[in-house]
mmCIF file of all heavy atoms in Angstrom:
data_model
loop_
_atom_site.group_PDB
_atom_site.id
_atom_site.type_symbol
_atom_site.label_atom_id
_atom_site.label_comp_id
_atom_site.label_asym_id
_atom_site.label_seq_id
_atom_site.Cartn_x
_atom_site.Cartn_y
_atom_site.Cartn_z
ATOM 1 N N ARG A 5 113.306 104.747 34.274
ATOM 2 C CA ARG A 5 112.782 104.975 35.639
ATOM 3 C C ARG A 5 113.420 104.111 36.645
ATOM 4 O O ARG A 5 113.129 104.296 37.860
ATOM 5 C CB ARG A 5 111.276 104.777 35.688
ATOM 6 C CG ARG A 5 110.492 105.767 34.734
ATOM 7 C CD ARG A 5 109.106 105.525 34.874
ATOM 8 N NE ARG A 5 108.623 104.191 34.686
ATOM 9 C CZ ARG A 5 107.409 103.702 34.703
ATOM 10 N NH1 ARG A 5 106.480 104.481 34.760
ATOM 11 N NH2 ARG A 5 107.170 102.424 34.527
ATOM 12 N N LEU A 6 114.252 103.199 36.291
ATOM 13 C CA LEU A 6 114.872 102.291 37.234
ATOM 14 C C LEU A 6 116.113 102.971 37.824
ATOM 15 O O LEU A 6 116.873 103.640 37.205
ATOM 16 C CB LEU A 6 115.269 100.969 36.615
ATOM 17 C CG LEU A 6 114.122 100.119 36.110
ATOM 18 C CD1 LEU A 6 114.641 98.831 35.467
ATOM 19 C CD2 LEU A 6 113.113 99.866 37.149
ATOM 20 N N ALA A 15 117.346 88.588 53.607
ATOM 21 C CA ALA A 15 116.884 87.428 54.288
ATOM 22 C C ALA A 15 115.390 87.225 54.071
ATOM 23 O O ALA A 15 114.669 88.202 54.203
ATOM 24 C CB ALA A 15 117.134 87.531 55.845
ATOM 25 N N ARG A 20 117.738 95.092 52.134
ATOM 26 C CA ARG A 20 118.131 96.547 52.343
ATOM 27 C C ARG A 20 119.044 96.805 51.278
ATOM 28 O O ARG A 20 119.942 96.107 50.892
ATOM 29 C CB ARG A 20 118.821 96.705 53.720
ATOM 30 C CG ARG A 20 118.006 96.444 54.940
ATOM 31 C CD ARG A 20 116.844 97.298 55.155
ATOM 32 N NE ARG A 20 117.207 98.698 55.454
ATOM 33 C CZ ARG A 20 116.372 99.738 55.515
ATOM 34 N NH1 ARG A 20 115.118 99.524 55.341
ATOM 35 N NH2 ARG A 20 116.851 100.921 55.706
ATOM 36 N N GLU A 32 111.905 94.711 48.065
ATOM 37 C CA GLU A 32 111.419 93.408 47.885
ATOM 38 C C GLU A 32 111.550 93.014 46.433
ATOM 39 O O GLU A 32 111.425 93.910 45.599
ATOM 40 C CB GLU A 32 109.962 93.252 48.276
ATOM 41 C CG GLU A 32 109.644 93.460 49.749
ATOM 42 C CD GLU A 32 108.129 93.292 50.016
ATOM 43 O OE1 GLU A 32 107.391 92.937 49.105
ATOM 44 O OE2 GLU A 32 107.793 93.456 51.178
ATOM 45 N N LEU A 43 117.094 84.882 42.902
ATOM 46 C CA LEU A 43 116.998 86.129 43.782
ATOM 47 C C LEU A 43 118.321 86.741 44.130
ATOM 48 O O LEU A 43 119.337 86.081 44.124
ATOM 49 C CB LEU A 43 116.275 85.729 45.073
ATOM 50 C CG LEU A 43 114.784 85.278 44.889
ATOM 51 C CD1 LEU A 43 114.232 84.772 46.276
ATOM 52 C CD2 LEU A 43 113.945 86.427 44.437
ATOM 53 N N VAL A 46 123.508 89.346 48.968
ATOM 54 C CA VAL A 46 124.331 90.507 49.461
ATOM 55 C C VAL A 46 125.495 90.742 48.457
ATOM 56 O O VAL A 46 126.115 89.836 48.061
ATOM 57 C CB VAL A 46 124.922 90.262 50.797
ATOM 58 C CG1 VAL A 46 125.955 91.295 51.280
ATOM 59 C CG2 VAL A 46 123.789 90.181 51.825
ATOM 60 N N VAL A 50 121.663 95.870 41.632
ATOM 61 C CA VAL A 50 120.233 95.613 41.163
ATOM 62 C C VAL A 50 119.736 96.880 40.527
ATOM 63 O O VAL A 50 120.192 97.996 40.875
ATOM 64 C CB VAL A 50 119.380 95.163 42.338
ATOM 65 C CG1 VAL A 50 119.756 93.751 42.770
ATOM 66 C CG2 VAL A 50 119.373 96.100 43.476
ATOM 67 N N VAL A 52 116.194 98.974 40.574
ATOM 68 C CA VAL A 52 114.897 98.982 41.355
ATOM 69 C C VAL A 52 113.984 100.119 40.850
ATOM 70 O O VAL A 52 114.369 101.099 40.249
ATOM 71 C CB VAL A 52 115.254 99.240 42.839
ATOM 72 C CG1 VAL A 52 116.060 98.061 43.343
ATOM 73 C CG2 VAL A 52 115.970 100.530 43.056
ATOM 74 N N GLY A 57 107.446 104.183 49.986
ATOM 75 C CA GLY A 57 108.108 103.715 51.197
ATOM 76 C C GLY A 57 109.201 102.682 51.022
ATOM 77 O O GLY A 57 109.972 102.438 51.901
ATOM 78 N N CYS A 59 111.412 99.930 47.720
ATOM 79 C CA CYS A 59 111.687 99.765 46.332
ATOM 80 C C CYS A 59 111.333 98.352 45.911
ATOM 81 O O CYS A 59 111.399 97.430 46.653
ATOM 82 C CB CYS A 59 113.202 100.055 46.067
ATOM 83 S SG CYS A 59 113.689 101.750 46.241
ATOM 84 N N GLU A 62 113.627 94.986 40.283
ATOM 85 C CA GLU A 62 113.216 94.524 38.984
ATOM 86 C C GLU A 62 114.233 93.691 38.298
ATOM 87 O O GLU A 62 113.847 92.740 37.505
ATOM 88 C CB GLU A 62 112.829 95.789 38.048
ATOM 89 C CG GLU A 62 111.713 96.632 38.632
ATOM 90 C CD GLU A 62 110.387 95.989 38.379
ATOM 91 O OE1 GLU A 62 110.239 95.037 37.596
ATOM 92 O OE2 GLU A 62 109.386 96.553 38.966
ATOM 93 N N GLU A 65 121.837 92.661 38.091
ATOM 94 C CA GLU A 65 122.916 92.800 37.064
ATOM 95 C C GLU A 65 123.791 91.511 37.159
ATOM 96 O O GLU A 65 123.817 90.857 38.150
ATOM 97 C CB GLU A 65 123.737 94.047 37.349
ATOM 98 C CG GLU A 65 122.943 95.336 37.127
ATOM 99 C CD GLU A 65 123.793 96.552 37.274
ATOM 100 O OE1 GLU A 65 125.038 96.472 37.433
ATOM 101 O OE2 GLU A 65 123.154 97.638 37.243
ATOM 102 N N ARG A 67 126.765 89.005 37.753
ATOM 103 C CA ARG A 67 127.699 88.964 38.915
ATOM 104 C C ARG A 67 129.119 88.860 38.352
ATOM 105 O O ARG A 67 129.365 88.099 37.428
ATOM 106 C CB ARG A 67 127.415 87.774 39.733
ATOM 107 C CG ARG A 67 126.116 87.912 40.468
ATOM 108 C CD ARG A 67 125.741 86.665 41.271
ATOM 109 N NE ARG A 67 124.488 86.864 41.934
ATOM 110 C CZ ARG A 67 123.630 85.923 42.283
ATOM 111 N NH1 ARG A 67 123.856 84.718 41.919
ATOM 112 N NH2 ARG A 67 122.526 86.281 42.869
ATOM 113 N N ARG A 68 130.010 89.564 38.910
ATOM 114 C CA ARG A 68 131.422 89.576 38.627
ATOM 115 C C ARG A 68 132.082 88.350 39.278
ATOM 116 O O ARG A 68 132.861 87.593 38.683
ATOM 117 C CB ARG A 68 132.074 90.780 39.040
ATOM 118 C CG ARG A 68 133.442 91.046 38.475
ATOM 119 C CD ARG A 68 133.995 92.479 38.696
ATOM 120 N NE ARG A 68 133.566 92.991 40.043
ATOM 121 C CZ ARG A 68 134.204 92.840 41.202
ATOM 122 N NH1 ARG A 68 135.249 92.079 41.299
ATOM 123 N NH2 ARG A 68 133.758 93.358 42.264
ATOM 124 N N THR A 69 131.782 88.136 40.569
ATOM 125 C CA THR A 69 132.237 86.945 41.322
ATOM 126 C C THR A 69 131.073 86.444 42.103
ATOM 127 O O THR A 69 130.064 87.142 42.351
ATOM 128 C CB THR A 69 133.379 87.307 42.226
ATOM 129 O OG1 THR A 69 132.935 88.263 43.169
ATOM 130 C CG2 THR A 69 134.558 87.872 41.519
ATOM 131 N N ARG A 73 128.068 78.034 48.088
ATOM 132 C CA ARG A 73 128.140 76.823 48.899
ATOM 133 C C ARG A 73 127.139 75.765 48.488
ATOM 134 O O ARG A 73 126.215 76.117 47.656
ATOM 135 C CB ARG A 73 127.943 77.162 50.387
ATOM 136 C CG ARG A 73 126.440 77.486 50.662
ATOM 137 C CD ARG A 73 126.216 77.796 52.142
ATOM 138 N NE ARG A 73 124.759 77.862 52.412
ATOM 139 C CZ ARG A 73 124.129 77.290 53.329
ATOM 140 N NH1 ARG A 73 124.738 76.445 54.162
ATOM 141 N NH2 ARG A 73 122.860 77.353 53.448
ATOM 142 N N ALA A 76 121.407 73.765 51.670
ATOM 143 C CA ALA A 76 120.968 72.896 52.674
ATOM 144 C C ALA A 76 120.049 71.790 52.198
ATOM 145 O O ALA A 76 119.381 72.064 51.145
ATOM 146 C CB ALA A 76 120.267 73.737 53.783
ATOM 147 N N ARG A 78 119.280 67.465 51.261
ATOM 148 C CA ARG A 78 119.940 66.335 50.659
ATOM 149 C C ARG A 78 120.306 66.471 49.181
ATOM 150 O O ARG A 78 121.003 65.678 48.584
ATOM 151 C CB ARG A 78 119.052 65.110 50.813
ATOM 152 C CG ARG A 78 118.797 64.670 52.259
ATOM 153 C CD ARG A 78 117.922 63.433 52.368
ATOM 154 N NE ARG A 78 117.620 63.190 53.721
ATOM 155 C CZ ARG A 78 118.288 62.258 54.473
ATOM 156 N NH1 ARG A 78 119.246 61.654 53.970
ATOM 157 N NH2 ARG A 78 117.888 62.044 55.709
ATOM 158 N N HIS A 80 121.847 68.250 45.664
ATOM 159 C CA HIS A 80 123.185 68.752 45.283
ATOM 160 C C HIS A 80 123.188 70.136 44.615
ATOM 161 O O HIS A 80 124.040 70.356 43.800
ATOM 162 C CB HIS A 80 123.792 67.697 44.307
ATOM 163 C CG HIS A 80 124.022 66.346 44.993
ATOM 164 N ND1 HIS A 80 124.956 66.196 45.983
ATOM 165 C CD2 HIS A 80 123.378 65.153 44.843
ATOM 166 C CE1 HIS A 80 124.974 64.934 46.393
ATOM 167 N NE2 HIS A 80 123.953 64.304 45.714
ATOM 168 N N ALA A 87 127.886 88.010 46.456
ATOM 169 C CA ALA A 87 128.309 88.248 45.104
ATOM 170 C C ALA A 87 129.206 89.439 45.065
ATOM 171 O O ALA A 87 129.174 90.339 45.930
ATOM 172 C CB ALA A 87 127.085 88.420 44.187
ATOM 173 N N ILE A 89 132.449 89.999 45.295
ATOM 174 C CA ILE A 89 133.380 90.112 46.448
ATOM 175 C C ILE A 89 134.789 90.296 45.918
ATOM 176 O O ILE A 89 135.260 89.541 45.016
ATOM 177 C CB ILE A 89 133.313 88.803 47.346
ATOM 178 C CG1 ILE A 89 131.927 88.712 47.865
ATOM 179 C CG2 ILE A 89 134.391 88.834 48.433
ATOM 180 C CD1 ILE A 89 131.745 87.365 48.611
ATOM 181 N N CYS A 92 138.000 88.037 50.676
ATOM 182 C CA CYS A 92 137.292 87.246 51.645
ATOM 183 C C CYS A 92 138.248 86.672 52.712
ATOM 184 O O CYS A 92 139.236 85.956 52.338
ATOM 185 C CB CYS A 92 136.517 86.113 51.012
ATOM 186 S SG CYS A 92 135.613 85.027 52.134
#
Side-chain angles (χ1 to χ4, degrees):
R5 298 183 308 184
L6 297 181
R20 297 294 297 171
E32 292 182 6
L43 293 172
V46 172
V50 295
V52 299
C59 290
E62 298 283 349
E65 294 182 8
R67 294 177 177 148
R68 193 172 35 86
T69 61
R73 71 176 190 130
R78 296 184 185 261
H80 295 289
I89 299 172
C92 178

